[in-house]
Amino acid sequence: MLTTTAAVSCRCFWERNRAVSGFFPRSFSCRAMEVPAGLSAGKESSALPAAAALPNESQPTPATPVQITVLKAQDLKTIKSDVSVTLVRAEYNGAILGDSSKTDVLPDGTANYNFMTSFECSPDGPNSLNDTAQKPVLLTVIEVLQREQRQKEKTVPLGQAVVDLLPLLQGQCSFKVSAPLYAVPTSPLESLHPEAKGGLEVTVCTKEPLLSAAQLSNGNLLSITLEAAYSVPEAFAATGPLQNYMACLQVPAAGEKEFPLLFKNGILKLAGEKEPLPRPKKWPLANIMAPGALSIPNSFIVGGPYEDEDGELNKREDREFRIQAESTKRIVWDMERRCYLDPAAVVILQKRIAECQYWPVEVCGMSVASSSKGKTSKANKTKSQHSVFRDLRAQLSLTKEGSWTPGISTPLSRAVPSKTRKEDKEKMTKDKDSNRRMSNAPKIQLSDATVEAENVTYLSLDGQQYVEAGTFLVMEIKLDKALVPKRLREELTRRVKQMIPPRPPLPPRPAGAKKAVENYHNHVTSIAVAILSEYHELFGKQLPDQGAIDHQTLEEQKRQLNFELNSSGKYFAFKEQLKYAVVKIVREKYLKTTAFETQEQFQSFLSELYVYLMDEMHIALNQLLSEEAASPAPLSRTTEEQLWLFAREAEVNKDYKLASLYHQQRVAQDQRNIQYWLDYGAFCLLLEETTKAQECFQQALSLDPHHIQSLLLCGIVAVMLEHYEEAEIFFEDACCLEPSSIVAWTLSGLFYELQNNNIQAEMAFREAKKLLQAQLAKERSIPEAAEGEEGKKHISAGCVRSPSPGPGECLPERVPDGSADKLSEVVEPALVCVAPEEEATALEAALKAPSPVSGLSQPPCTIFMKAVKFLMKVNAVQFVHRALAHELLSLQGGPSCAYYLALAQTYLLKEDLSKCEECLCEAIRIDYMNPNVWAQKGHLCYLKRDFGEAKECYERTISFVEDAADMHFVYLRLGSIYLEEKEYGRAKQTYLLACKNSASCLTWLGVGIACYRLEEMVEAEDALSEANALSNTNAEVWGYLALICLQGGRQLEAEQCYKYTVKLGLRNDALLREIRAAQQRLGFGNPAPLSTPSGKGPPRRSRPTPARRDPRST
């Protein structure tokens, strides 16, 4: 037989899975590729000698007896009401193990058999471990009919049940099961899948485990379910000779052996209703008389969304084709085959995947002829064999738990294994010229066997028919354990703690008696201060130079003070305030919590307590009166949000010293706030102080080892410092702690790609994409439900903004055309090959790439843009460039507006203004209604000192209904342009808008300057006082306050304001000249020698001025 070799690209992954009970992969699909030249069986088996050299202890124990005991049958009357005598027959692996004795059926339908039989399981015998994994024990209940005279005893099969022996390969020595009993149909007209109408109680036991401890821990169980071949060519017709459709996989075994997994008896179904879901998986048995017994208990094909599958044909544009294919001509198996992989076979399988690229899958169609009596012959001598090879070479990954799957896959974490599904859509095509096809085109060659029988129709399938029909297979492959271990969560946490130095312990707080005494001192001090204040209100302050007060006057003052305290109720309030402190001393100092037994004890304790309290009161009063109390620092009016805003303003104005001061103030306010440390670390990254940023991020992580953002930032900084082992721990721990984080998986993929670990990178990107698809589907379901209620006439109301009116602007989830899909599939395999030196070229090439016409709906958000959004906030520009390179290659229809906007921001950080301008021009061409683009262009023009263009951009930005992300800085810079152009009224309104949204020293300063120029002195002073209250270190605020005081004739205040203006280093030379000119004109305000005229200035105004903070108070 001649065979032509072809292959399917179906990359196999060993997926992560954190399900406790088992590790099950998701569905996969793939398309075909040609086999490279040089593939041979010798190359595939190159890993066998090393695996065969494993110790012999991994071999199963030979000749282990497996004992089967059928205890009883139940509900036999439901199958046949007049049944009276039955027996049970046990079969295994095609051999009859024995029959039980005849047993009468009780009136309730119970038959007690207590039948025992056994078979031997041996590695080299007919009943191997693989047989135990995939072949059940078949039990047939047979009715014994009453014998008539001179006639032999007749028996009729009544029902069948199967017992799965898989628990024996999972470490169990015995188990008991109630096997469903399915009735055997008496005629072909009966239902082919009747429900179970009875049951058999069966126990299975062995004297010792079938697997040793080493085999159980190092071995594995492979399970493959072949569901169907969909969209088969028209050449598959129901007419002609009967066909037996089969598929075969060769699974590596120990030594030079290979174990075949054969799927027989595929059923050709014509167009009609698709297969129901869920539907049971079938046993690979041929001697089943009860069709219901073919179903594997508790094992179902559950289906699921196509987007959750791995591999290909899982995109939204493939959905319609998939739905049509499932209801057209197809070959259905729904069969599951299992295979036990001993430790040697596991090692061989790992090496095969690492060294050999292809794993063959063969699909065969064999003609079967029927005899005149209606019995099927064994098989035809001719078969049409279609070879398919799965690409397994690039599939090594460092996962501890999970399953591997052919197909473009990602790590998976699911807790419900029954709902996982893997699909292998193997495109079977034929193409003689492989160089003429794109990587996404199906290219598998099918081999046609030679005809060896003259009376048999030969099925010849041209490979092009598979291309036209779009034939694909649906398979599920799962392993009980991952082939490569994955780090445990506990190990990751331990490693993170080792890398993060422990925080110093908090200072011990005084507790118990000491704390109670300190509390009493504080209350005594506060009451004494309050009484002193009352005294001053009644009699005024007694100055030292007024002499001593006589005793009679003191007594009179004391009497009046007591009267005032008692009559106003303050004495009672002071007593109540002190009572709780005394109670704490009694409980903590004297440990008295129960009543006294006698009155004498009570009086004695009161005397002792009174003496102690008086002594402690004198101590507190002496501390209050002997030491000169320092004036308390004024409470800061700045909140955490204001400090963060001030720091951002300083960053934008490139005053990094001031920005660092504000960040340090935030941290000093609350050193246990994680976000403060992260913001400070991001600021250090902006200054390229990587080591300092690492300290900040590690400090945040020490506060909460499970904080995902801290873990990711620690990983990013570790990459920048080239500490790659630490970075891998951080990223892996983040994905383990938060498996639903799209950003965590994306950043992990970028890191693995940086390490040339393309497998892990592809897995991480795959998982991130699936999480994003699920998130977008959830978001789409909400407006779709609302639209269904409101009706079609309200659909257009869902659009807030669109580049231009169009019928598709309300459908952001619309799929681009096929050409964009092909472009994406061409460039996606190149993602893992993007080298660091090629990133800049890829980013610059985006400027020359064709962009979609303005007015089209924006493409949906991608995982890379979500990562860019996170990275831009923390100033991780290195990772931003890698993410943007992927975004450029993966987008369908060309780069998006968000891509160009993010790229422009990176160029702006580097002060590459020319490239930033090019990117913003492209962004405006794509979406000219995006306020963020116009705001960014305004910032660019402002930095280029093109204030006219910047003014137009800022005015356009604030005219949109939707605000830009950084409106605060838009208002600040637009207001400064108005001031420069002497449009003081518009400047005042613009700064007031900024104060309304987020007030700061700079916003109130702008209002004050505008009001001063408008000669609105009262409003100007109020605004500048607000600015001074928010930040008393701004020299320009003090300068304008000096001008206002000069205009108001307040000499002392003018001199003070001018003093702080000079002391803080005013950089505005024009303002400084204006102040000195006013001083020269008015003749006061400058306390410097020889600069102030001898004459007196105008009289000081008596109007109280707003409070201004002295910078020394900070």
Side-chain angles (χ1 to χ4, degrees):
M1 178 181 65
L2 299 176
T3 302
T4 304
T5 304
V8 164
S9 174
C10 197
R11 287 184 288 264
C12 169
F13 284 80
W14 305 339
E15 297 185 349
R16 306 166 188 246
N17 192 320
R18 299 176 184 84
V20 177
S21 60
F23 314 104
F24 299 84
R26 279 186 283 196
S27 334
F28 65 85
S29 64
C30 60
R31 298 198 181 187
M33 292 178 62
E34 286 194 352
V35 182
L39 178 66
S40 63
K43 181 178 178 181
E44 292 180 6
S45 60
S46 60
L48 294 178
L54 291 177
N56 293 329
E57 63 182 11
S58 63
Q59 299 296 329
T61 305
T64 302
V66 178
Q67 181 175 304
I68 312 295
T69 303
V70 183
L71 300 176
K72 62 180 179 179
Q74 296 178 339
D75 298 330
L76 292 180
K77 296 288 187 179
T78 59
I79 300 178
K80 188 176 181 181
S81 58
D82 58 348
V83 61
S84 58
V85 181
T86 60
L87 60 87
V88 63
R89 175 174 297 165
E91 302 178 46
Y92 181 72
N93 200 10
I96 297 178
L97 302 180
D99 295 347
S100 69
S101 58
K102 302 175 185 177
T103 304
D104 294 332
V105 179
L106 300 179
D108 61 352
T110 302
N112 297 312
Y113 298 113
N114 294 322
F115 168 62
M116 184 182 301
T117 184
S118 64
F119 66 91
E120 289 187 348
C121 178
S122 60
D124 300 323
N127 301 324
S128 63
L129 292 177
N130 286 325
D131 294 327
T132 305
Q134 66 178 339
K135 295 181 180 180
V137 175
L138 179 61
L139 302 175
T140 305
V141 176
I142 301 175
E143 179 185 9
V144 181
L145 302 177
Q146 293 184 357
R147 184 172 52 182
E148 298 180 1
Q149 294 181 357
R150 298 181 181 181
Q151 288 185 356
K152 294 183 179 180
E153 190 175 60
K154 293 184 179 181
T155 58
V156 177
L158 190 63
Q160 286 186 317
V162 292
V163 178
D164 193 356
L165 301 180
L166 187 62
L168 296 179
L169 298 180
Q170 297 173 339
Q172 299 185 29
C173 291
S174 64
F175 63 91
K176 183 177 181 181
V177 64
S178 179
L181 186 64
Y182 296 90
V184 176
T186 57
S187 68
L189 298 179
E190 293 190 16
S191 175
L192 296 180
H193 297 283
E195 297 181 355
K197 296 183 178 180
L200 293 176
E201 288 190 8
V202 185
T203 60
V204 181
C205 63
T206 59
K207 293 183 179 180
E208 57 186 13
L210 294 184
L211 301 178
S212 63
Q215 289 176 305
L216 196 60
S217 60
N218 299 326
N220 214 326
L221 185 66
L222 171 66
S223 176
I224 300 178
T225 301
L226 177 59
E227 297 183 17
Y230 291 106
S231 189
V232 296
E234 293 296 331
F236 288 88
T239 60
L242 184 62
Q243 294 285 329
N244 182 8
Y245 299 101
M246 296 183 294
C248 182
L249 296 172
Q250 294 285 344
V251 179
E256 298 290 339
K257 301 179 181 178
E258 288 196 354
F259 181 76
L261 292 181
L262 188 61
F263 299 86
K264 301 179 181 180
N265 303 323
I267 302 174
L268 178 64
K269 294 187 177 181
L270 302 179
E273 295 184 1
K274 64 179 183 179
E275 305 301 315
L277 290 174
R279 60 184 186 272
K281 299 179 182 179
K282 298 179 182 178
W283 290 106
L285 301 178
N287 55 342
I288 295 288
M289 293 180 289
L294 274 176
S295 302
I296 302 178
N298 301 322
S299 185
F300 298 93
I301 299 172
V302 296
Y306 301 137
E307 291 80 4
D308 291 344
E309 301 170 0
D310 297 326
E312 297 179 40
L313 291 181
N314 58 357
K315 300 181 178 64
R316 296 176 56 205
E317 55 265 29
D318 300 321
R319 179 179 180 84
E320 184 178 355
F321 168 72
R322 292 284 303 277
I323 294 175
Q324 294 177 355
E326 290 177 357
S327 58
T328 56
K329 188 184 299 183
R330 59 200 180 275
I331 303 174
V332 180
W333 284 274
D334 289 345
M335 186 179 298
E336 182 182 74
R337 298 297 297 262
R338 304 169 184 163
C339 177
Y340 168 72
L341 303 176
D342 62 8
V346 172
V347 173
I348 294 173
L349 182 58
Q350 293 180 13
K351 292 186 177 181
R352 288 275 186 93
I353 295 175
E355 300 172 2
C356 182
Q357 184 175 2
Y358 299 99
W359 183 17
V361 179
E362 300 189 29
V363 179
C364 310
M366 298 183 64
S367 299
V368 179
S370 300
S371 62
S372 58
K373 295 183 179 180
K375 296 182 180 179
T376 305
S377 61
K378 293 182 179 179
N380 196 312
K381 294 183 180 180
T382 301
K383 70 176 180 179
S384 176
Q385 178 173 328
H386 317 303
S387 297
V388 180
F389 289 80
R390 292 206 181 91
D391 180 2
L392 306 178
R393 181 173 57 184
Q395 312 309 322
L396 286 179
S397 65
L398 298 177
T399 60
K400 179 169 184 180
E401 301 173 350
S403 305
W404 61 266
T405 291
I408 302 174
S409 176
T410 54
L412 169 67
S413 174
R414 270 202 199 171
V416 186
S418 63
K419 294 185 179 181
T420 57
R421 186 188 184 202
K422 300 192 168 37
E423 296 195 0
D424 181 6
K425 301 156 197 79
E426 301 174 356
K427 281 286 191 177
M428 296 184 293
T429 72
K430 184 176 183 181
D431 185 8
K432 295 182 179 180
D433 186 3
S434 61
N435 296 326
R436 290 164 47 190
R437 291 189 176 269
M438 304 295 286
S439 63
N440 66 323
K443 294 179 291 188
I444 174 172
Q445 294 176 340
L446 301 181
S447 60
D448 295 336
T450 57
V451 179
E452 299 179 3
E454 296 180 357
N455 58 348
V456 176
T457 303
Y458 168 62
L459 181 61
S460 176
L461 296 178
D462 184 9
Q464 186 62 29
Q465 298 183 19
Y466 292 95
V467 181
E468 298 172 354
T471 306
F472 60 91
L473 294 178
V474 180
M475 300 184 70
E476 177 191 68
I477 300 179
K478 62 183 178 181
L479 287 168
D480 273 1
K481 294 177 291 185
L483 293 179
V484 181
K486 170 185 166 295
R487 291 186 183 94
L488 290 174
R489 178 173 176 176
E490 293 76 11
E491 179 186 356
L492 292 171
T493 304
R494 179 180 56 82
R495 293 285 300 274
V496 169
K497 288 183 178 180
Q498 290 176 354
M499 291 183 289
I500 305 299
R503 287 175 54 84
L506 294 175
R509 295 183 177 180
K514 185 179 179 181
K515 186 176 180 180
V517 173
E518 289 181 358
N519 187 38
Y520 176 75
H521 286 178
N522 294 334
H523 279 83
V524 169
T525 302
S526 65
I527 292 174
V529 172
I531 294 175
L532 188 60
S533 299
E534 288 289 331
Y535 178 84
H536 290 160
E537 289 181 6
L538 290 176
F539 310 108
K541 290 186 178 182
Q542 184 71 22
L543 299 179
D545 56 353
Q546 294 179 355
I549 304 177
D550 60 284
H551 180 72
Q552 185 177 0
T553 303
L554 285 177
E555 289 296 326
E556 180 64 19
Q557 290 180 352
K558 179 180 178 181
R559 186 185 63 80
Q560 294 182 15
L561 179 62
N562 287 334
F563 175 80
E564 180 67 23
L565 293 177
N566 281 281
S567 61
S568 63
K570 294 181 180 179
Y571 177 84
F572 178 80
F574 292 153
K575 185 177 66 173
E576 289 296 317
Q577 181 181 354
L578 200 60
K579 180 173 67 175
Y580 294 100
V582 175
V583 170
K584 288 184 178 180
I585 289 180
V586 173
R587 292 178 178 176
E588 300 293 338
K589 182 72 176 178
Y590 290 91
L591 305 179
K592 295 293 184 180
T593 57
T594 58
F596 293 91
E597 296 179 358
T598 62
Q599 188 68 19
E600 291 77 13
Q601 292 180 354
F602 179 63
Q603 292 297 329
S604 175
F605 174 75
L606 287 181
S607 300
E608 181 182 358
L609 177 63
Y610 178 80
V611 172
Y612 178 80
L613 292 178
M614 294 302 294
D615 292 339
E616 294 298 327
M617 182 190 69
H618 290 151
I619 293 174
L621 292 177
N622 289 334
Q623 291 178 351
L624 174 65
L625 299 177
S626 62
E627 298 178 2
E628 182 180 358
S631 59
L635 297 177
S636 175
R637 294 180 57 186
T638 55
T639 62
E640 179 272 330
E641 292 81 4
Q642 288 175 328
L643 287 176
W644 166 240
L645 178 62
F646 300 164
R648 287 285 299 125
E649 287 179 341
E651 290 177 24
V652 172
N653 295 330
K654 299 189 183 301
D655 190 351
Y656 298 126
K657 184 177 180 180
L658 181 60
S660 178
L661 177 62
Y662 284 129
H663 281 294
Q664 291 171 6
Q665 288 181 6
R666 292 182 77 210
V667 172
Q669 284 187 2
D670 186 2
Q671 296 187 12
R672 300 192 64 82
N673 191 301
I674 296 177
Q675 191 59 45
Y676 297 173
W677 288 106
L678 297 184
D679 293 338
Y680 192 17
F683 170 71
C684 294
L685 283 183
L686 178 65
L687 302 183
E688 297 183 354
E689 297 177 357
T690 311
T691 304
K692 196 171 183 179
Q694 183 186 38
E695 295 175 0
C696 294
F697 297 148
Q698 289 184 351
Q699 187 75 10
L701 190 59
S702 65
L703 295 173
D704 183 5
H706 296 161
H707 193 254
I708 304 302
Q709 192 175 359
S710 301
L711 285 168
L712 295 176
L713 291 175
C714 284
I716 290 172
V717 174
V719 171
M720 294 179 178
L721 296 175
E722 299 183 356
H723 300 164
Y724 298 117
E725 271 191 43
E726 295 181 5
E728 183 176 6
I729 296 296
F730 287 128
F731 287 127
E732 191 171 349
D733 193 21
C735 294
C736 180
L737 292 173
E738 191 65 37
S740 61
S741 173
I742 299 174
V743 174
W745 285 113
T746 306
L747 294 183
S748 298
L750 295 175
F751 164 73
Y752 286 125
E753 182 190 63
L754 185 65
Q755 296 295 298
N756 294 324
N757 190 343
N758 296 336
I759 302 162
Q760 290 284 64
E762 190 174 358
M763 291 172 62
F765 292 149
R766 191 73 174 181
E767 182 66 19
K769 290 177 182 178
K770 291 182 179 179
L771 291 172
L772 179 61
Q773 288 177 357
Q775 177 182 326
L776 295 177
K778 184 178 180 181
E779 293 174 356
R780 285 195 300 266
S781 63
I782 299 176
E784 286 176 359
E787 289 173 5
E789 295 177 359
E790 296 177 4
K792 296 182 179 180
K793 62 180 180 180
H794 298 294
I795 291 180
S796 60
C799 293
V800 178
R801 178 181 55 85
S802 177
S804 67
E809 60 182 333
C810 296
L811 303 172
E813 67 274 13
R814 183 169 56 86
V815 180
D817 57 10
S819 61
D821 182 27
K822 293 181 180 179
L823 175 62
S824 174
E825 295 190 10
V826 170
V827 298
E828 276 189 11
L831 286 176
V832 295
C833 303
V834 177
E837 59 272 10
E838 296 176 358
E839 289 182 5
T841 305
L843 295 177
E844 293 176 2
L847 302 177
K848 303 178 181 179
S851 300
V853 180
S854 179
L856 295 179
S857 60
Q858 294 296 308
C861 182
T862 64
I863 61 172
F864 302 110
M865 290 310 299
K866 282 188 171 291
V868 166
K869 183 179 179 181
F870 168 78
L871 294 169
M872 288 299 299
K873 289 181 180 179
V874 298
N875 302 313
V877 181
Q878 177 182 353
F879 271 78
V880 169
H881 285 171
R882 300 194 68 86
L884 289 177
H886 277 275
E887 179 72 6
L888 175 61
L889 295 176
S890 63
L891 274 178
Q892 300 177 356
S896 63
C897 177
Y899 168 83
Y900 283 115
L901 184 59
L903 188 58
Q905 291 173 347
T906 61
Y907 287 136
L908 199 61
L909 288 177
K910 295 180 178 180
E911 298 184 356
D912 191 345
L913 303 185
S914 60
K915 290 185 178 179
C916 177
E917 186 174 8
E918 294 178 12
C919 292
L920 290 176
C921 290
E922 290 294 328
I924 291 175
R925 186 166 61 87
I926 295 174
D927 186 1
Y928 62 88
M929 296 288 287
N930 191 327
N932 291 308
V933 178
W934 288 105
Q936 201 68 28
K937 187 176 181 182
H939 297 331
L940 173 66
C941 297
Y942 188 89
L943 294 178
K944 293 170 63 177
R945 306 195 64 81
D946 185 358
F947 297 124
E949 183 69 19
K951 175 183 174 182
E952 293 181 4
C953 294
Y954 288 145
E955 289 176 344
R956 183 187 290 265
T957 302
I958 64 178
S959 67
F960 287 113
V961 177
E962 181 181 355
D963 287 340
D966 55 349
M967 288 300 296
H968 181 79
F969 302 103
V970 172
Y971 288 136
L972 281 179
R973 289 179 169 174
L974 180 59
S976 67
I977 294 174
Y978 286 147
L979 289 178
E980 189 73 19
E981 297 180 353
K982 299 182 179 181
E983 298 183 33
Y984 301 124
R986 303 183 70 178
K988 177 183 176 181
Q989 296 301 323
T990 302
Y991 279 119
L992 284 175
L993 286 175
C995 293
K996 181 180 179 181
N997 294 333
S998 50
S1000 69
C1001 175
L1002 297 183
T1003 59
W1004 284 116
L1005 173 61
V1007 175
I1009 295 174
C1011 292
Y1012 176 79
R1013 299 305 178 189
L1014 293 171
E1015 299 183 357
E1016 299 172 354
M1017 295 302 174
V1018 177
E1019 293 184 6
E1021 188 171 2
D1022 291 341
L1024 292 172
S1025 298
E1026 287 293 330
N1028 181 260
L1030 291 174
S1031 175
N1032 61 349
T1033 59
N1034 191 302
E1036 198 166 348
V1037 173
W1038 287 107
Y1040 278 100
L1041 283 172
L1043 282 176
I1044 292 176
C1045 293
L1046 286 171
Q1047 298 292 339
R1050 291 174 284 175
Q1051 180 177 353
L1052 179 61
E1053 294 180 64
E1055 291 179 355
Q1056 290 178 343
C1057 292
Y1058 177 72
K1059 179 181 65 175
Y1060 290 125
T1061 301
V1062 177
K1063 184 177 180 179
L1064 294 172
L1066 180 63
R1067 300 177 184 177
N1068 191 338
D1069 296 334
L1071 176 61
L1072 190 58
R1073 289 192 300 268
E1074 184 179 0
I1075 295 174
R1076 289 174 177 172
Q1079 291 170 348
Q1080 293 288 341
R1081 185 177 67 255
L1082 298 174
F1084 67 91
N1086 189 349
L1090 304 178
S1091 61
T1092 304
S1094 58
K1096 282 189 177 182
R1100 181 180 175 184
R1101 292 178 61 185
S1102 59
R1103 183 178 64 86
T1105 59
R1108 289 183 286 274
R1109 292 167 56 198
D1110 192 322
R1112 292 175 296 179
S1113 65
T1114 59

